[in-house]
């Protein structure tokens, strides 16, 4: 059985980032260290072009699978280390190839150590015939099923044939921080995850309307955030008391405009908290057309209360695709737990799909919402989920 010495991590997208590259790699390196913190025997090293995880006898499978969820990793190769001796290299390459399935192969070689007696094309010409003679594989230089990569460096020779896809995206943290509106439904945790994949950290805001919503909602949010902790180890959740505002809406606004006005209030609160917490954007799980408040006209009328950009990662996704992601990140079963949402309780029979901005303003001006917003923001309850 072949024993691999390390995992070589490639950044992909990061390589295009020029000046930012080294700080991105630094962040990725820290995130990888954190993701693998339970494996005390691993050594992790970073250089300009790659990050290396030295296995030191650890089983590589769970490590690769953990790394596949770290954003900013483009691909990973399992690397075998051997002596810088062409005979050893030949037999090792053959062993490695035999573990792979496919019909065709190609050998690539890189001679980092210029003192090595064979040039890279000579290495290729030494290794390929051994594989041809001892397997049924054919050579395909354009689209090989198996790529056999040989790298000669100062300290040793390295061979890898096996490459695993990473999550792509950017390292968490390089994209700043968003104030994310977390409901407890299926969409908003997925939207949070998609942002994290782009390197954006999240902080969450939730509007709670006790006694219309029960404390079960908060447990549900905590459970959702614990799942998201897999991608972001610490998440701050701000719970906004929303009952008074909601009651004022239902006392003052015609039923068909309740959702529109309620969501304008949510956006007002979210953008105030966002600026207080240094989040340049708000994010939500909204998806175009899904419900009355998510038509384009509704979005325009709702969004009108703030200049803070609103990112909607699920905007153009089909519900089934959103559900597929929620299953992948393991939030689905939590999201579908029954609970009373402040939106579901007061759901009007005929919400406006094309609300009029002036009318929405007229209705909400019937009560002093500014004062209520200030009061709500003075009574935020904060929970830190994770480490
Ligand atoms: P989700 O599945 O995320 O609950 P949804 O399809 O049920 O979304 P809405 O209830 O209209 O749609 O909510 C749209 C978005 O508004 C949510 O994705 C979330 O970002 C935000 N939102 C809704 N209700 C709340 C709430 N009580 N607290 C915080 N954010 C909320
Ligand atoms: Mg919802």
């Amino acid at each position: 059985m072949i024993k691999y010495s390390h995992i070589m991590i490639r950044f992909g997208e990061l390589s295009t980032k020029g000046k930012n590259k080294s700080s991105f790699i630094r962040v990725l390196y820290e995130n990888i260290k954190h993701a693998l913190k339970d494996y005390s025997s691993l050594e992790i090293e970073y250089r300009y072009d790659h990050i290396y995880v030295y296995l030191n006898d650890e089983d590589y499978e769970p490590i690769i699978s953990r790394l596949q969820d770290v954003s900013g990793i483009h691909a990973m190769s399992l690397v075998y280390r051997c002596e810088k001796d062409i005979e050893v290299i030949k037999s090792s390459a053959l062993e490695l190839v035999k573990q792979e399935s496919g019909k065709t192969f190609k050998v690539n070689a890189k001679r980092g150590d210029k003192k090595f007696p064979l040039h890279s094309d000579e290495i290729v010409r030494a290794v390929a015939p051994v594989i041809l003679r001892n397997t049924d594989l054919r050579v395909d230089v354009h689209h090989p099923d198996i790529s056999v990569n040989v790298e000669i460096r100062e300290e040793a020779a390295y061979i890898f044939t096996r490459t695993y896809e990473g999550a792509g995206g950017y390292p968490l943290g390089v994209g700043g921080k968003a104030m994310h509106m977390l409901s407890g439904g299926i969409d908003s945790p997925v939207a949070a995850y998609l942002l994290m994949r782009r390197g954006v950290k999240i902080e969450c805001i939730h509007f709670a309307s006790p006694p219309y919503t029960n404390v079960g909602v908060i447990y549900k949010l905590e459970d959702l955030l614990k799942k998201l902790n897999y991608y972001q180890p610490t998440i701050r959740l701000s719970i906004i008391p929303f009952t008074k505002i909601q009651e004022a809406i239902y006392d003052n606004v015609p039923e068909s405009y309740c959702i529109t006005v309620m969501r304008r209030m949510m956006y007002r609160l979210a953008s105030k908290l966002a600026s207080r917490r240094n989040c340049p954007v708000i994010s939500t799980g909204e998806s175009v057309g899904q419900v009355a408040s998510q038509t384009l006209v509704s979005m325009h009328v709702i969004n009108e209360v703030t200049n803070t950009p609103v990112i909607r990662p699920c905007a153009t996704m089909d519900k089934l695709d959103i559900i597929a992601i929620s299953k992948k990140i393991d939030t689905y079963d939590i999201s579908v737990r029954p609970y009373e949402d402040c939106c579901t309780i007061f759901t009007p029979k005929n919400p406006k799909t094309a609300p009029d901005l002036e009318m929405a303003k007229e209705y909400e001006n019937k009560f002093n919402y500014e004062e209520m917003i200030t009061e709500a923001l003075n009574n935020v309850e904060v929970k830190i989920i994770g480490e």
Side-chain angles (χ1 to χ4, degrees):
M1 208 26 210
I2 287 271
K3 219 171 91 195
Y4 296 95
S5 65
H6 62 275
I7 299 165
M8 180 171 84
I9 294 173
R10 274 181 285 244
F11 322 132
E13 251 184 294
L14 294 193
S15 316
T16 61
K17 283 278 156 191
K19 222 169 61 199
N20 291 335
K21 183 171 165 176
S22 62
S23 68
F24 276 33
I25 297 172
R26 182 83 224 171
V27 174
L28 179 59
Y29 170 72
E30 293 299 332
N31 292 351
I32 288 173
K33 270 208 319 208
H34 192 273
L36 300 178
K37 68 180 187 321
D38 293 340
Y39 300 91
S40 53
S41 61
L42 297 179
E43 282 165 71
I44 306 167
E45 179 194 20
Y46 88 94
R47 304 211 191 137
Y48 184 72
D49 50 348
H50 295 117
I51 291 175
Y52 300 96
V53 176
Y54 296 96
L55 289 165
N56 295 335
D57 289 335
E58 285 284 353
D59 179 9
Y60 63 82
E61 269 171 8
I63 295 169
I64 299 246
S65 124
R66 181 68 187 92
L67 290 173
Q68 278 178 317
D69 289 316
V70 175
S71 66
I73 294 180
H74 174 70
M76 288 163 277
S77 299
L78 257 181
V79 183
Y80 179 75
R81 175 190 169 116
C82 68
E83 246 177 86
K84 286 193 299 183
D85 174 319
I86 193 63
E87 293 309 317
V88 178
I89 292 169
K90 274 156 58 176
S91 59
S92 307
L94 179 61
E95 279 302 299
L96 286 168
V97 164
K98 280 183 176 168
Q99 296 196 8
E100 306 299 329
S101 53
K103 292 194 168 70
T104 57
F105 77 101
K106 179 190 181 186
V107 179
N108 308 299
K110 225 194 242 169
R111 190 180 62 149
D113 172 11
K114 300 297 174 203
K115 291 200 283 298
F116 190 71
L118 277 68
H119 292 277
S120 50
D121 51 333
E122 289 171 327
I123 300 170
V124 173
R125 275 187 269 124
V127 173
V130 180
I131 296 170
L132 280 171
R133 267 201 308 274
N134 294 287
T135 67
D136 294 331
L137 295 168
R138 287 174 285 110
V139 172
D140 180 343
V141 291
H142 300 295
H143 305 287
D145 296 332
I146 307 166
S147 290
V148 184
N149 304 282
V150 180
E151 260 186 67
I152 313 288
R153 288 200 227 130
E154 293 285 325
E155 67 284 6
Y158 296 97
I159 311 173
F160 59 93
T161 52
R162 199 170 283 189
T163 296
Y164 298 79
E165 244 181 76
Y170 298 111
L172 185 75
V174 301
K177 195 170 67 164
M179 181 56 69
H180 186 63
M181 292 168 60
L182 186 72
S183 59
I186 295 169
D187 306 331
S188 46
V190 168
Y193 164 75
L194 292 172
L195 274 165
M196 291 174 187
R197 288 271 307 269
R198 300 320 293 168
V200 176
K201 277 193 176 168
I202 58 152
E203 234 189 83
C204 293
I205 179 170
H206 178 77
F207 306 97
S209 303
Y212 306 107
T213 59
N214 64 35
V215 67
V217 183
I218 307 301
Y219 298 143
K220 190 175 181 183
L221 298 175
E222 288 178 2
D223 287 348
L224 287 169
L225 291 174
K226 281 179 198 154
K227 293 289 178 189
L228 292 174
N229 279 150
Y230 186 64
Y231 308 96
Q232 180 181 322
T234 311
I235 304 174
R236 182 188 175 101
L237 168 65
S238 299
I239 301 164
I240 308 277
F242 200 56
T243 312
K244 278 193 190 159
I245 294 175
Q246 202 150 21
E247 285 174 342
I249 294 172
Y250 286 87
D251 288 343
N252 291 287
V253 179
E255 201 182 84
S256 61
Y257 270 78
C258 279
I259 294 273
T260 307
V261 172
M262 183 183 79
R263 297 194 62 78
R264 283 168 62 91
M265 297 300 160
M266 287 183 174
Y267 270 40
R268 286 188 172 103
L269 282 157
S271 57
K272 288 217 160 71
L273 188 66
S275 82
R276 193 200 271 183
R277 296 282 313 151
N278 288 319
C279 299
V281 305
I282 298 171
S283 55
T284 79
E286 289 163 299
S287 181
V288 174
Q290 222 186 62
V291 291
S293 63
Q294 298 175 20
T295 63
L296 297 185
V297 174
S298 279
M299 282 189 187
H300 169 250
V301 172
I302 291 165
N303 215 148
E304 191 266 345
V305 300
T306 180
N307 284 326
T308 311
V310 181
I311 313 254
R312 302 175 175 89
C314 297
T316 60
M317 291 173 70
D318 287 338
K319 191 74 185 184
L320 288 178
D321 296 330
I322 299 175
I323 288 174
I325 297 179
S326 78
K327 289 187 170 161
K328 179 182 126 68
I329 62 174
D330 213 17
T331 53
Y332 182 78
D333 290 341
I334 303 169
S335 291
V336 296
R337 264 193 228 157
Y339 79 108
E340 297 297 352
D341 183 342
C342 61
C343 309
T344 48
I345 288 170
F346 299 106
T347 304
K349 282 172 228 67
N350 296 304
K352 277 260 179 273
T353 51
D356 179 77
L357 177 59
E358 293 313 316
M359 289 179 76
K361 283 185 184 169
E362 193 184 310
Y363 295 138
E364 70 193 12
N365 282 329
K366 288 190 185 157
F367 60 100
N368 190 347
Y369 61 81
E370 287 297 353
E371 207 170 85
M372 293 178 178
I373 284 178
T374 308
E375 192 194 331
L377 284 171
N378 286 338
N379 289 286
V380 180
E381 185 193 345
V382 175
K383 287 180 183 277
I384 305 293
I385 315 297
E387 294 162 9

